Amino acid sequence: GVYSPQETEGRSEVMFESYITTLTVECQTLIQMVKVGIMPACVRDLAKYRDFPSLAGNRQSLYTYIAGEIAKLEKLVADAHAAGSDMHAEATYLCDTVKPQMLVVRNLV
């Protein structure tokens, strides 16, 4: 059937809330995976080359870059929630700003 304006608004709000929650959980999971699993592995890997740094290649700069990109993602997620109670604006920010940064991190790791 046809929804009333109030029903349409309510459904829209539920959809925005679901999208925001899903993307936020994905971001938090990605950040935690990198910080808890990947970065410690990077540190252990780099330690193997302590006596022969010339053999490490670009590992140190790559691992530093990964850490920087994760820090950017953390800030973007925090900024998204600072947007206030406007769910449409927060969902748009997550889609247009946070998701591309998630892709950057995923491509690095």
Side-chain angles (χ1 to χ4, degrees), residues 23 27 30-31 34 65-77 93-109:
L23 207 56
C27 285
L30 178 60
I31 291 166
V34 172
Y65 187 66
I66 291 170
E69 294 303 311
I70 276 295
K72 283 183 194 175
L73 181 59
E74 285 180 300
K75 182 177 179 343
L76 292 175
V77 171
Y93 180 83
L94 286 168
C95 181
D96 295 345
T97 305
V98 175
K99 276 180 76 172
Q101 182 62 25
M102 288 175 68
L103 184 59
V104 168
V105 171
R106 285 180 177 144
N107 286 334
L108 288 170
V109 297

Side-chain angles (χ1 to χ4, degrees), residues 20-40:
I20 290 166
T21 301
T22 300
L23 207 56
T24 300
V25 168
E26 285 184 25
C27 285
Q28 291 169 343
T29 302
L30 178 60
I31 291 166
Q32 183 178 5
M33 286 172 54
V34 172
K35 287 180 135 185
V36 173
I38 294 171
M39 291 312 296

Side-chain angles (χ1 to χ4, degrees), residues 77-96:
V77 171
D79 290 349
H81 297 302
S85 62
D86 182 0
M87 285 195 250
H88 183 266
E90 186 175 352
T92 300
Y93 180 83
L94 286 168
C95 181
D96 295 345

